[in-house]
Amino acid sequence: MREIFKYTEDYLKKTEKRRNNMYVCPKCSKPIAAIRPFVEYSLFCMSCQKIGNLFELVRLFEKDKNYLTDEEIEQYLKEFLKLDITTEIEIDNALDFYEKNGFDLVPIIKNGKIPIEKEWTTKEHKNKKEWKDWLNNGLNIGIKTGKCSNVIVIDFDGEIPEELSKSNTLKQKTKNGMHFFFRYDSDLPKTRIDKLKIDIENNGGQVVAYPSIVEDCKRTINLEEISELPNDWKKFILSKINKRTTLNLEEEKKFEINEDFHEDLIKEGNRHHIMMSLGGILRRKLNMYDTTFVLDILNKKLSSPSMSRIEFDNIVKSLEKYTSYDDVEIAKKILDYIRRCPDQEATAADIQFGLYLKKAEVDKTLGYLLKEEYIIKKNRTFHLLQKVDWRDTFMGESNPIKFKMPYFHDSATFRDGDMLVIGAKAKVGKTHIAMNIIKRLVAQGIKPYYACLESGSRFPIISQSLALKEGDYWNSLKFKPESSELKENSITIIDWLLPGDYANTDKIFAHLSNQLIRFGGLLIVFVQIRDSNAEFFAKDMVAFFPSFVCKYLYNDDSDGSTGYFKIEYMRESVDNRKKLSIPCKYDMFSKELKRLDEIGD
Ligand SMILES: [Zn+2]
């Protein structure tokens, strides 16, 4: 997915397309659309279905951008929304520059600095298309230094001398320092000058280059022409290199003489296994850099023979993967923990002490879970937003439902994400109808969610009369129609919206629609209608959001045992009839509500 899609909401807000919790649909102009984060942050309209991703939205909303390419729109959005993102056009410019200068690149592990190819120094990659493939697969890229790319790089970790910072040449800013590129010069060796915190990269080296991201940090590059290394600088560096080698040799000697190393402690046969296991243990306390440092000493001082550079790099690479696996385990534990908490909410401290984790670990993982939208933060508590396996169980968009909708299956086609509204007068047994719908769903092997909003409801008794048993359906007395989450891909029945809620009806319906678009499934909402004329209280809203609207009315002369569903609106009627009535009979003894055409003679 393109990074820019995450800013769909920002774009719609900035262009004032937001109404309540929903967005204006560019096709039908009604404020009944919502963003689906898991479908590339595309916009979905209750009526027009899928509208499209951010690029398509810009084309629909801004007619003058109709003929722009995706890349041009991305560039426009970066400036319009003032985003800190790297656009395709910018990436292309840099890669063109690398190609023009004859750079030889190497694929690098994601978010890191290690080449993924074995024997990478002997291979050549000078093709822009190949580089783009690496980047599209999430890899980083490195520029090989030395003769093959006709460059050397001076890599400053610390403060940069003023004379050099002014030099006009290709420069790349890194997290803590700066890379200066100069034309290839065979006199300088690839080496490190500790005292100056300088690395000289020449033959056999590489530097990770823009647009790579290293440890979540972006690099920037100026794309200026590469100059020759100034002469005084060359002299200065060469003088420092000589000093450094003698000093280090002495240090190393001291090290070896004073310490009694068993230089053959680790043998070739189990070398790999020991290094991996030790690395895993070290990683629990040390970061990757420190772990690599310790393993390097073990490899040089205790292994007989020492591993080759490539073999060692592979161990480091495996350890990095192993670590991200650890993080996933912690994330799962934290989600499980929150799920088990009362009201499925917990503070960072709850989690830390409940799971015996370190604060830093908890903070880091919560940050990840927030970013990935598994949880949300309200004040100091974290709430579950969805199941971990949401993506695995995500149904396709707007598929027809796979079960028979009780009472209405032959009147209309129902789709994933639909909302049904059933109106009834105050005295009409809405809970009886709701329980009958549940019974018919349970009979099809479905376990629906029943949200009871009426205090002192008799649903447990009605439920028993209908021979429903515990475990057949979920129920809750705590559902809040204006803020509660729907369960993904499930059927929820709300019994019923209180008259006191009608002032907020637009907000409630907007919230529920948003939830449906986001999590799919099906929602049946019971609402009260006026006793006098049997009209809906919030007529506008009822006309707006649902795909199916009906009322249950008693026959005029009835004691409540005969009545009918009066269908007032169907988005997709089966035989194109717009209105329809379905006569029913209620059995006082079995509590069953049956369609007349279901009852034999
Ligand atoms: Zn629409």
Side-chain angles (χ1 to χ4, degrees), residues 110-175:
K110 183 180 180 173
N111 205 25
K113 293 182 181 177
I114 302 167
I116 58 171
E117 279 181 325
K118 287 184 177 178
E119 319 276 344
W120 59 271
T121 50
T122 63
K123 296 189 178 144
E124 185 184 278
H125 303 282
K126 294 198 166 186
N127 182 300
K128 183 184 159 192
K129 193 179 167 305
E130 193 181 11
W131 303 342
K132 276 207 101 157
D133 287 344
W134 298 340
L135 290 169
N136 289 338
N137 290 333
L139 297 178
N140 278 346
I141 53 173
I143 297 169
K144 277 187 231 166
T145 47
K147 204 173 177 185
C148 56
S149 297
N150 193 26
V151 283
I152 57 163
V153 170
I154 303 179
D155 173 0
F156 278 87
D157 260 351
E159 211 164 298
I160 298 149
E162 208 180 319
E163 299 93 315
L164 197 61
S165 71
K166 275 187 271 174
S167 59
N168 290 326
T169 190
L170 179 64
K171 283 179 243 174
Q172 171 168 260
K173 209 173 150 0
T174 62
K175 192 176 178 186

Side-chain angles (χ1 to χ4, degrees), residues 25-30 32 45-49 51:
C25 165
K27 289 191 178 162
C28 66
S29 300
K30 291 181 195 160
I32 52 172
C45 170
M46 292 291 283
S47 157
C48 316
Q49 307 292 342
I51 305 300

Side-chain angles (χ1 to χ4, degrees), residues 44 54 74 97 183 197 205 212 215 219 298 368 399 419 463 477 532 554 558:
F44 280 74
L54 183 52
E74 185 187 42
F97 179 91
R183 286 279 162 230
K197 290 193 176 173
S212 300
E215 283 154 14
R219 311 194 145 189
L298 295 176
Y368 161 80
N399 288 326
M419 184 196 294
S463 180
L477 302 172
S532 53
Y554 288 153
S558 164

Side-chain angles (χ1 to χ4, degrees), residues 39 53 60 94 111 163 166 171 198 207 219 231 349 357 389 394 397 412 467 496 499 510 527 530 542 571 584 587 596:
V39 191
N53 64 32
L60 285 166
N111 205 25
E163 299 93 315
K166 275 187 271 174
K171 283 179 243 174
I198 291 179
V207 290
R219 311 194 145 189
N231 248 330
L357 291 171
D389 58 358
F394 183 62
E397 60 219 39
W496 43 284
V527 301
R530 289 182 204 277
V542 170
R571 184 172 293 152
C584 294
D587 185 319
L596 276 192

